[in-house]
Amino acid sequence: MTTKDERLSFLEEMKDVRRIRKSNKADVKTPKELTPGHLERQRSAMDQPLKDRNPLTADTVEPLTAHDVLCWQRPGVQHGVFRKFRLGQYPIEARLDLHRMTVEEARREVFGFVSDCVRYGLRSVIILHGKGERNPDGIAQLKSYIAKWLPELDDVLAFHSAQKRHGGTGAVYVMVRKGDRDKQHNREIHGA
């Protein structure tokens, strides 16, 4: 607690102090005129079209039917691991449903999904593409594109049509490679 003498002493010291009349807010108004740097960035943005980093092709593909089985693996995937994988014995860590999507929407979704799986360390996932049984021509369009797209992604090690309990030939198991973080973690654990 302050004494009466201390308060009087403080007031005596502060007697010449005046309140600042200017506002203490910063002036953050944007300049009305465009700088040369701004104009250059604007021109550059207009000149360079947005690059599509998605490597998946949108070309025509070999048509598949509802009952065709998808099966593919990269060299180096062990036989026993692939067998267990195609039998659906690994837990499904994520799923992507492509039903009612256009080919272009599915193309973007598949690319983003596989990238996210690598980023989050998901190894065994499923993509539901449908069988295409309602198509009058009998062609399973999204399934046909999935069969073309998955081998184009370096992060995909293998895929196989799902077991009946997971959607059968209307879905596909996808084995995703380990991300760099998971590889480093294994090196630390096993000392390789």
PDB file of all heavy atoms in Angstrom, residues 71-98:
ATOM      1  N   CYS A  71      -5.844 -56.003 -60.505  1.00  0.00           N
ATOM      2  CA  CYS A  71      -4.725 -56.614 -59.807  1.00  0.00           C
ATOM      3  C   CYS A  71      -3.429 -56.066 -60.387  1.00  0.00           C
ATOM      4  O   CYS A  71      -3.190 -56.174 -61.591  1.00  0.00           O
ATOM      5  CB  CYS A  71      -4.779 -58.131 -59.960  1.00  0.00           C
ATOM      6  SG  CYS A  71      -3.445 -58.990 -59.094  1.00  0.00           S
ATOM      7  N   TRP A  72      -2.604 -55.473 -59.531  1.00  0.00           N
ATOM      8  CA  TRP A  72      -1.325 -54.899 -59.989  1.00  0.00           C
ATOM      9  C   TRP A  72      -0.404 -54.727 -58.795  1.00  0.00           C
ATOM     10  O   TRP A  72      -0.847 -54.415 -57.687  1.00  0.00           O
ATOM     11  CB  TRP A  72      -1.573 -53.553 -60.655  1.00  0.00           C
ATOM     12  CG  TRP A  72      -0.332 -52.872 -61.144  1.00  0.00           C
ATOM     13  CD1 TRP A  72       0.279 -53.051 -62.334  1.00  0.00           C
ATOM     14  CD2 TRP A  72       0.449 -51.897 -60.447  1.00  0.00           C
ATOM     15  NE1 TRP A  72       1.391 -52.255 -62.421  1.00  0.00           N
ATOM     16  CE2 TRP A  72       1.509 -51.529 -61.269  1.00  0.00           C
ATOM     17  CE3 TRP A  72       0.350 -51.305 -59.189  1.00  0.00           C
ATOM     18  CZ2 TRP A  72       2.481 -50.606 -60.889  1.00  0.00           C
ATOM     19  CZ3 TRP A  72       1.305 -50.384 -58.806  1.00  0.00           C
ATOM     20  CH2 TRP A  72       2.353 -50.032 -59.655  1.00  0.00           C
ATOM     21  N   GLN A  73       0.895 -54.950 -59.012  1.00  0.00           N
ATOM     22  CA  GLN A  73       1.875 -54.696 -57.958  1.00  0.00           C
ATOM     23  C   GLN A  73       3.213 -54.309 -58.577  1.00  0.00           C
ATOM     24  O   GLN A  73       3.553 -54.749 -59.683  1.00  0.00           O
ATOM     25  CB  GLN A  73       2.027 -55.900 -57.032  1.00  0.00           C
ATOM     26  CG  GLN A  73       2.774 -57.081 -57.642  1.00  0.00           C
ATOM     27  CD  GLN A  73       2.785 -58.280 -56.724  1.00  0.00           C
ATOM     28  OE1 GLN A  73       1.782 -58.975 -56.637  1.00  0.00           O
ATOM     29  NE2 GLN A  73       3.887 -58.515 -56.063  1.00  0.00           N
ATOM     30  N   ARG A  74       3.940 -53.465 -57.866  1.00  0.00           N
ATOM     31  CA  ARG A  74       5.286 -53.072 -58.306  1.00  0.00           C
ATOM     32  C   ARG A  74       6.265 -54.194 -57.990  1.00  0.00           C
ATOM     33  O   ARG A  74       6.062 -54.945 -57.032  1.00  0.00           O
ATOM     34  CB  ARG A  74       5.742 -51.814 -57.556  1.00  0.00           C
ATOM     35  CG  ARG A  74       5.074 -50.570 -58.027  1.00  0.00           C
ATOM     36  CD  ARG A  74       5.828 -49.317 -57.601  1.00  0.00           C
ATOM     37  NE  ARG A  74       4.985 -48.168 -57.837  1.00  0.00           N
ATOM     38  CZ  ARG A  74       4.765 -47.629 -59.018  1.00  0.00           C
ATOM     39  NH1 ARG A  74       5.336 -48.125 -60.079  1.00  0.00           N
ATOM     40  NH2 ARG A  74       3.970 -46.589 -59.155  1.00  0.00           N
ATOM     41  N   PRO A  75       7.344 -54.275 -58.761  1.00  0.00           N
ATOM     42  CA  PRO A  75       8.392 -55.231 -58.398  1.00  0.00           C
ATOM     43  C   PRO A  75       8.932 -54.884 -57.012  1.00  0.00           C
ATOM     44  O   PRO A  75       9.079 -53.720 -56.668  1.00  0.00           O
ATOM     45  CB  PRO A  75       9.466 -55.008 -59.471  1.00  0.00           C
ATOM     46  CG  PRO A  75       8.754 -54.330 -60.602  1.00  0.00           C
ATOM     47  CD  PRO A  75       7.629 -53.558 -60.002  1.00  0.00           C
ATOM     48  N   GLY A  76       9.196 -55.901 -56.226  1.00  0.00           N
ATOM     49  CA  GLY A  76       9.738 -55.678 -54.887  1.00  0.00           C
ATOM     50  C   GLY A  76       8.714 -55.871 -53.784  1.00  0.00           C
ATOM     51  O   GLY A  76       9.079 -56.022 -52.623  1.00  0.00           O
ATOM     52  N   VAL A  77       7.431 -55.894 -54.131  1.00  0.00           N
ATOM     53  CA  VAL A  77       6.407 -56.166 -53.122  1.00  0.00           C
ATOM     54  C   VAL A  77       6.426 -57.671 -52.879  1.00  0.00           C
ATOM     55  O   VAL A  77       6.268 -58.464 -53.807  1.00  0.00           O
ATOM     56  CB  VAL A  77       5.012 -55.697 -53.587  1.00  0.00           C
ATOM     57  CG1 VAL A  77       3.945 -56.097 -52.569  1.00  0.00           C
ATOM     58  CG2 VAL A  77       4.991 -54.197 -53.816  1.00  0.00           C
ATOM     59  N   GLN A  78       6.644 -58.056 -51.633  1.00  0.00           N
ATOM     60  CA  GLN A  78       6.779 -59.476 -51.309  1.00  0.00           C
ATOM     61  C   GLN A  78       5.484 -60.239 -51.582  1.00  0.00           C
ATOM     62  O   GLN A  78       4.387 -59.720 -51.370  1.00  0.00           O
ATOM     63  CB  GLN A  78       7.180 -59.636 -49.849  1.00  0.00           C
ATOM     64  CG  GLN A  78       8.536 -59.048 -49.533  1.00  0.00           C
ATOM     65  CD  GLN A  78       8.837 -59.088 -48.047  1.00  0.00           C
ATOM     66  OE1 GLN A  78       8.002 -59.454 -47.229  1.00  0.00           O
ATOM     67  NE2 GLN A  78      10.049 -58.698 -47.702  1.00  0.00           N
ATOM     68  N   HIS A  79       5.640 -61.477 -52.045  1.00  0.00           N
ATOM     69  CA  HIS A  79       4.491 -62.308 -52.405  1.00  0.00           C
ATOM     70  C   HIS A  79       3.541 -62.496 -51.222  1.00  0.00           C
ATOM     71  O   HIS A  79       2.324 -62.349 -51.362  1.00  0.00           O
ATOM     72  CB  HIS A  79       4.969 -63.671 -52.931  1.00  0.00           C
ATOM     73  CG  HIS A  79       3.855 -64.625 -53.226  1.00  0.00           C
ATOM     74  ND1 HIS A  79       2.993 -64.451 -54.281  1.00  0.00           N
ATOM     75  CD2 HIS A  79       3.450 -65.755 -52.579  1.00  0.00           C
ATOM     76  CE1 HIS A  79       2.096 -65.427 -54.274  1.00  0.00           C
ATOM     77  NE2 HIS A  79       2.363 -66.231 -53.259  1.00  0.00           N
ATOM     78  N   GLY A  80       4.078 -62.811 -50.058  1.00  0.00           N
ATOM     79  CA  GLY A  80       3.246 -63.036 -48.869  1.00  0.00           C
ATOM     80  C   GLY A  80       2.508 -61.777 -48.445  1.00  0.00           C
ATOM     81  O   GLY A  80       1.346 -61.833 -48.026  1.00  0.00           O
ATOM     82  N   VAL A  81       3.163 -60.641 -48.546  1.00  0.00           N
ATOM     83  CA  VAL A  81       2.542 -59.366 -48.194  1.00  0.00           C
ATOM     84  C   VAL A  81       1.403 -59.074 -49.163  1.00  0.00           C
ATOM     85  O   VAL A  81       0.305 -58.683 -48.751  1.00  0.00           O
ATOM     86  CB  VAL A  81       3.587 -58.221 -48.212  1.00  0.00           C
ATOM     87  CG1 VAL A  81       2.929 -56.856 -48.095  1.00  0.00           C
ATOM     88  CG2 VAL A  81       4.610 -58.424 -47.105  1.00  0.00           C
ATOM     89  N   PHE A  82       1.644 -59.291 -50.464  1.00  0.00           N
ATOM     90  CA  PHE A  82       0.604 -59.024 -51.459  1.00  0.00           C
ATOM     91  C   PHE A  82      -0.576 -59.973 -51.285  1.00  0.00           C
ATOM     92  O   PHE A  82      -1.733 -59.576 -51.420  1.00  0.00           O
ATOM     93  CB  PHE A  82       1.169 -59.124 -52.881  1.00  0.00           C
ATOM     94  CG  PHE A  82       0.179 -58.736 -53.932  1.00  0.00           C
ATOM     95  CD1 PHE A  82      -0.192 -57.411 -54.110  1.00  0.00           C
ATOM     96  CD2 PHE A  82      -0.411 -59.696 -54.750  1.00  0.00           C
ATOM     97  CE1 PHE A  82      -1.127 -57.040 -55.070  1.00  0.00           C
ATOM     98  CE2 PHE A  82      -1.339 -59.338 -55.708  1.00  0.00           C
ATOM     99  CZ  PHE A  82      -1.701 -58.002 -55.865  1.00  0.00           C
ATOM    100  N   ARG A  83      -0.301 -61.218 -50.958  1.00  0.00           N
ATOM    101  CA  ARG A  83      -1.373 -62.200 -50.758  1.00  0.00           C
ATOM    102  C   ARG A  83      -2.263 -61.765 -49.593  1.00  0.00           C
ATOM    103  O   ARG A  83      -3.486 -61.736 -49.709  1.00  0.00           O
ATOM    104  CB  ARG A  83      -0.776 -63.576 -50.477  1.00  0.00           C
ATOM    105  CG  ARG A  83      -1.810 -64.654 -50.276  1.00  0.00           C
ATOM    106  CD  ARG A  83      -1.148 -66.025 -49.999  1.00  0.00           C
ATOM    107  NE  ARG A  83      -2.154 -67.023 -49.774  1.00  0.00           N
ATOM    108  CZ  ARG A  83      -2.821 -67.177 -48.633  1.00  0.00           C
ATOM    109  NH1 ARG A  83      -2.577 -66.388 -47.609  1.00  0.00           N
ATOM    110  NH2 ARG A  83      -3.724 -68.129 -48.502  1.00  0.00           N
ATOM    111  N   LYS A  84      -1.645 -61.402 -48.472  1.00  0.00           N
ATOM    112  CA  LYS A  84      -2.394 -60.944 -47.298  1.00  0.00           C
ATOM    113  C   LYS A  84      -3.179 -59.660 -47.634  1.00  0.00           C
ATOM    114  O   LYS A  84      -4.318 -59.482 -47.220  1.00  0.00           O
ATOM    115  CB  LYS A  84      -1.403 -60.689 -46.153  1.00  0.00           C
ATOM    116  CG  LYS A  84      -2.022 -60.554 -44.812  1.00  0.00           C
ATOM    117  CD  LYS A  84      -0.932 -60.468 -43.735  1.00  0.00           C
ATOM    118  CE  LYS A  84      -1.558 -60.149 -42.403  1.00  0.00           C
ATOM    119  NZ  LYS A  84      -0.580 -59.991 -41.339  1.00  0.00           N
ATOM    120  N   PHE A  85      -2.564 -58.801 -48.420  1.00  0.00           N
ATOM    121  CA  PHE A  85      -3.177 -57.536 -48.833  1.00  0.00           C
ATOM    122  C   PHE A  85      -4.416 -57.792 -49.690  1.00  0.00           C
ATOM    123  O   PHE A  85      -5.490 -57.254 -49.424  1.00  0.00           O
ATOM    124  CB  PHE A  85      -2.124 -56.721 -49.606  1.00  0.00           C
ATOM    125  CG  PHE A  85      -2.653 -55.520 -50.315  1.00  0.00           C
ATOM    126  CD1 PHE A  85      -3.044 -54.387 -49.621  1.00  0.00           C
ATOM    127  CD2 PHE A  85      -2.744 -55.506 -51.704  1.00  0.00           C
ATOM    128  CE1 PHE A  85      -3.532 -53.278 -50.280  1.00  0.00           C
ATOM    129  CE2 PHE A  85      -3.219 -54.401 -52.374  1.00  0.00           C
ATOM    130  CZ  PHE A  85      -3.623 -53.280 -51.658  1.00  0.00           C
ATOM    131  N   ARG A  86      -4.288 -58.642 -50.728  1.00  0.00           N
ATOM    132  CA  ARG A  86      -5.421 -58.864 -51.639  1.00  0.00           C
ATOM    133  C   ARG A  86      -6.556 -59.619 -50.964  1.00  0.00           C
ATOM    134  O   ARG A  86      -7.707 -59.522 -51.389  1.00  0.00           O
ATOM    135  CB  ARG A  86      -4.970 -59.570 -52.912  1.00  0.00           C
ATOM    136  CG  ARG A  86      -4.607 -61.003 -52.778  1.00  0.00           C
ATOM    137  CD  ARG A  86      -4.193 -61.612 -54.126  1.00  0.00           C
ATOM    138  NE  ARG A  86      -3.634 -62.927 -53.968  1.00  0.00           N
ATOM    139  CZ  ARG A  86      -4.336 -64.031 -53.755  1.00  0.00           C
ATOM    140  NH1 ARG A  86      -5.642 -63.986 -53.706  1.00  0.00           N
ATOM    141  NH2 ARG A  86      -3.743 -65.191 -53.597  1.00  0.00           N
ATOM    142  N   LEU A  87      -6.263 -60.335 -49.887  1.00  0.00           N
ATOM    143  CA  LEU A  87      -7.301 -61.035 -49.130  1.00  0.00           C
ATOM    144  C   LEU A  87      -7.968 -60.116 -48.100  1.00  0.00           C
ATOM    145  O   LEU A  87      -8.838 -60.556 -47.350  1.00  0.00           O
ATOM    146  CB  LEU A  87      -6.718 -62.274 -48.432  1.00  0.00           C
ATOM    147  CG  LEU A  87      -6.260 -63.391 -49.378  1.00  0.00           C
ATOM    148  CD1 LEU A  87      -5.578 -64.512 -48.608  1.00  0.00           C
ATOM    149  CD2 LEU A  87      -7.443 -63.917 -50.190  1.00  0.00           C
ATOM    150  N   GLY A  88      -7.556 -58.860 -48.065  1.00  0.00           N
ATOM    151  CA  GLY A  88      -8.175 -57.887 -47.162  1.00  0.00           C
ATOM    152  C   GLY A  88      -7.835 -58.103 -45.701  1.00  0.00           C
ATOM    153  O   GLY A  88      -8.612 -57.761 -44.821  1.00  0.00           O
ATOM    154  N   GLN A  89      -6.635 -58.659 -45.431  1.00  0.00           N
ATOM    155  CA  GLN A  89      -6.263 -58.978 -44.057  1.00  0.00           C
ATOM    156  C   GLN A  89      -5.541 -57.832 -43.345  1.00  0.00           C
ATOM    157  O   GLN A  89      -5.271 -57.934 -42.158  1.00  0.00           O
ATOM    158  CB  GLN A  89      -5.414 -60.252 -44.033  1.00  0.00           C
ATOM    159  CG  GLN A  89      -6.212 -61.465 -44.479  1.00  0.00           C
ATOM    160  CD  GLN A  89      -5.384 -62.726 -44.541  1.00  0.00           C
ATOM    161  OE1 GLN A  89      -4.161 -62.700 -44.504  1.00  0.00           O
ATOM    162  NE2 GLN A  89      -6.065 -63.861 -44.655  1.00  0.00           N
ATOM    163  N   TYR A  90      -5.235 -56.763 -44.066  1.00  0.00           N
ATOM    164  CA  TYR A  90      -4.663 -55.581 -43.416  1.00  0.00           C
ATOM    165  C   TYR A  90      -5.814 -54.637 -43.066  1.00  0.00           C
ATOM    166  O   TYR A  90      -6.771 -54.501 -43.830  1.00  0.00           O
ATOM    167  CB  TYR A  90      -3.673 -54.872 -44.340  1.00  0.00           C
ATOM    168  CG  TYR A  90      -2.377 -55.615 -44.536  1.00  0.00           C
ATOM    169  CD1 TYR A  90      -2.067 -56.187 -45.763  1.00  0.00           C
ATOM    170  CD2 TYR A  90      -1.479 -55.757 -43.501  1.00  0.00           C
ATOM    171  CE1 TYR A  90      -0.877 -56.875 -45.953  1.00  0.00           C
ATOM    172  CE2 TYR A  90      -0.288 -56.451 -43.678  1.00  0.00           C
ATOM    173  CZ  TYR A  90       0.009 -57.005 -44.900  1.00  0.00           C
ATOM    174  OH  TYR A  90       1.177 -57.696 -45.075  1.00  0.00           O
ATOM    175  N   PRO A  91      -5.715 -53.965 -41.913  1.00  0.00           N
ATOM    176  CA  PRO A  91      -6.794 -53.028 -41.567  1.00  0.00           C
ATOM    177  C   PRO A  91      -6.852 -51.868 -42.558  1.00  0.00           C
ATOM    178  O   PRO A  91      -5.814 -51.357 -42.988  1.00  0.00           O
ATOM    179  CB  PRO A  91      -6.417 -52.531 -40.166  1.00  0.00           C
ATOM    180  CG  PRO A  91      -5.010 -52.946 -39.935  1.00  0.00           C
ATOM    181  CD  PRO A  91      -4.680 -54.042 -40.905  1.00  0.00           C
ATOM    182  N   ILE A  92      -8.059 -51.473 -42.927  1.00  0.00           N
ATOM    183  CA  ILE A  92      -8.247 -50.352 -43.852  1.00  0.00           C
ATOM    184  C   ILE A  92      -8.143 -49.072 -43.036  1.00  0.00           C
ATOM    185  O   ILE A  92      -8.939 -48.847 -42.118  1.00  0.00           O
ATOM    186  CB  ILE A  92      -9.606 -50.464 -44.568  1.00  0.00           C
ATOM    187  CG1 ILE A  92      -9.619 -51.719 -45.436  1.00  0.00           C
ATOM    188  CG2 ILE A  92      -9.879 -49.212 -45.390  1.00  0.00           C
ATOM    189  CD1 ILE A  92     -10.972 -52.038 -46.030  1.00  0.00           C
ATOM    190  N   GLU A  93      -7.170 -48.250 -43.376  1.00  0.00           N
ATOM    191  CA  GLU A  93      -6.894 -47.046 -42.583  1.00  0.00           C
ATOM    192  C   GLU A  93      -7.619 -45.801 -43.098  1.00  0.00           C
ATOM    193  O   GLU A  93      -7.744 -44.820 -42.366  1.00  0.00           O
ATOM    194  CB  GLU A  93      -5.381 -46.792 -42.550  1.00  0.00           C
ATOM    195  CG  GLU A  93      -4.619 -47.932 -41.904  1.00  0.00           C
ATOM    196  CD  GLU A  93      -3.124 -47.791 -42.029  1.00  0.00           C
ATOM    197  OE1 GLU A  93      -2.632 -47.752 -43.184  1.00  0.00           O
ATOM    198  OE2 GLU A  93      -2.456 -47.703 -40.987  1.00  0.00           O
ATOM    199  N   ALA A  94      -8.070 -45.834 -44.343  1.00  0.00           N
ATOM    200  CA  ALA A  94      -8.816 -44.695 -44.907  1.00  0.00           C
ATOM    201  C   ALA A  94      -9.585 -45.178 -46.122  1.00  0.00           C
ATOM    202  O   ALA A  94      -9.238 -46.193 -46.727  1.00  0.00           O
ATOM    203  CB  ALA A  94      -7.867 -43.570 -45.294  1.00  0.00           C
ATOM    204  N   ARG A  95     -10.633 -44.420 -46.474  1.00  0.00           N
ATOM    205  CA  ARG A  95     -11.411 -44.785 -47.656  1.00  0.00           C
ATOM    206  C   ARG A  95     -11.778 -43.543 -48.441  1.00  0.00           C
ATOM    207  O   ARG A  95     -11.958 -42.473 -47.870  1.00  0.00           O
ATOM    208  CB  ARG A  95     -12.622 -45.616 -47.291  1.00  0.00           C
ATOM    209  CG  ARG A  95     -13.710 -44.920 -46.544  1.00  0.00           C
ATOM    210  CD  ARG A  95     -14.862 -45.850 -46.146  1.00  0.00           C
ATOM    211  NE  ARG A  95     -14.434 -46.864 -45.222  1.00  0.00           N
ATOM    212  CZ  ARG A  95     -14.501 -48.181 -45.460  1.00  0.00           C
ATOM    213  NH1 ARG A  95     -15.021 -48.638 -46.552  1.00  0.00           N
ATOM    214  NH2 ARG A  95     -14.068 -49.046 -44.574  1.00  0.00           N
ATOM    215  N   LEU A  96     -11.860 -43.718 -49.749  1.00  0.00           N
ATOM    216  CA  LEU A  96     -12.276 -42.649 -50.648  1.00  0.00           C
ATOM    217  C   LEU A  96     -13.434 -43.181 -51.476  1.00  0.00           C
ATOM    218  O   LEU A  96     -13.301 -44.208 -52.132  1.00  0.00           O
ATOM    219  CB  LEU A  96     -11.116 -42.227 -51.567  1.00  0.00           C
ATOM    220  CG  LEU A  96     -11.463 -41.240 -52.680  1.00  0.00           C
ATOM    221  CD1 LEU A  96     -11.881 -39.894 -52.097  1.00  0.00           C
ATOM    222  CD2 LEU A  96     -10.280 -41.057 -53.614  1.00  0.00           C
ATOM    223  N   ASP A  97     -14.556 -42.461 -51.443  1.00  0.00           N
ATOM    224  CA  ASP A  97     -15.744 -42.869 -52.192  1.00  0.00           C
ATOM    225  C   ASP A  97     -15.888 -41.975 -53.422  1.00  0.00           C
ATOM    226  O   ASP A  97     -16.054 -40.769 -53.298  1.00  0.00           O
ATOM    227  CB  ASP A  97     -16.978 -42.753 -51.299  1.00  0.00           C
ATOM    228  CG  ASP A  97     -18.209 -43.391 -51.922  1.00  0.00           C
ATOM    229  OD1 ASP A  97     -18.188 -43.708 -53.130  1.00  0.00           O
ATOM    230  OD2 ASP A  97     -19.198 -43.577 -51.186  1.00  0.00           O
ATOM    231  N   LEU A  98     -15.820 -42.575 -54.611  1.00  0.00           N
ATOM    232  CA  LEU A  98     -15.893 -41.827 -55.872  1.00  0.00           C
ATOM    233  C   LEU A  98     -17.279 -41.873 -56.513  1.00  0.00           C
ATOM    234  O   LEU A  98     -17.464 -41.313 -57.593  1.00  0.00           O
ATOM    235  CB  LEU A  98     -14.864 -42.375 -56.866  1.00  0.00           C
ATOM    236  CG  LEU A  98     -13.398 -42.331 -56.432  1.00  0.00           C
ATOM    237  CD1 LEU A  98     -12.525 -42.972 -57.498  1.00  0.00           C
ATOM    238  CD2 LEU A  98     -12.966 -40.929 -56.145  1.00  0.00           C
TER     239      LEU A  98
END
